[in-house]
Amino acid sequence: MIDFLQENEIFVFGSNTQGKHGAGAAKQAVQWGAIYGKPSGRQGQTYAIITKDLRDNSFVGWDFVREQLEILIEYTHVNDDLTFLLTPIGTGLLS
């Protein structure tokens, strides 16, 4: 797990459809600016990718994750001064 971010680093993590950052990497992301209630996109020194649908606690599917990753990739091209640190996403909570 990542414990410290440099000024130009962005912590990319898996989120849920309601932006409830209460566990795992999402909970850790709060310390770097993840906004409770905002499920996706740039937030402080973080970037959220929705992976879990809280209506039924299911995985949103790789097609939806892929769409979000394509948006992230475009974002990285526009912000090439930043370094993006990705956690495993879509894997469930890791111990």
Side-chain angles (χ1 to χ4, degrees):
M1 193 58 96
I2 299 164
D3 295 318
F4 178 81
L5 292 178
Q6 298 292 328
E7 196 171 302
N8 69 326
E9 292 179 329
I10 305 297
F11 182 74
V12 181
F13 67 99
S15 182
N16 58 59
T17 52
Q18 294 181 9
K20 292 184 177 179
H21 309 312
K27 183 176 182 179
Q28 185 177 15
V30 171
Q31 71 181 308
W32 295 309
I35 300 166
Y36 196 82
K38 185 174 179 185
S40 64
R42 174 82 185 267
Q43 305 164 42
Q45 276 190 272
T46 71
Y47 193 102
I49 301 288
I50 298 171
T51 59
K52 184 177 182 180
D53 188 337
L54 283 188
R55 292 176 295 181
D56 59 5
N57 285 323
S58 66
F59 177 59
V60 295
W62 287 115
D63 289 338
F64 186 62
V65 171
R66 184 179 304 111
E67 290 173 15
Q68 294 177 86
L69 290 172
E70 289 171 358
I71 294 167
L72 171 60
I73 290 167
E74 290 176 25
Y75 187 83
T76 66
H77 290 298
V78 174
N79 296 279
D80 62 356
D81 58 320
L82 300 174
T83 299
F84 293 82
L85 307 172
L86 281 69
T87 63
I89 60 170
T91 60
L93 293 174
L94 300 175
S95 303

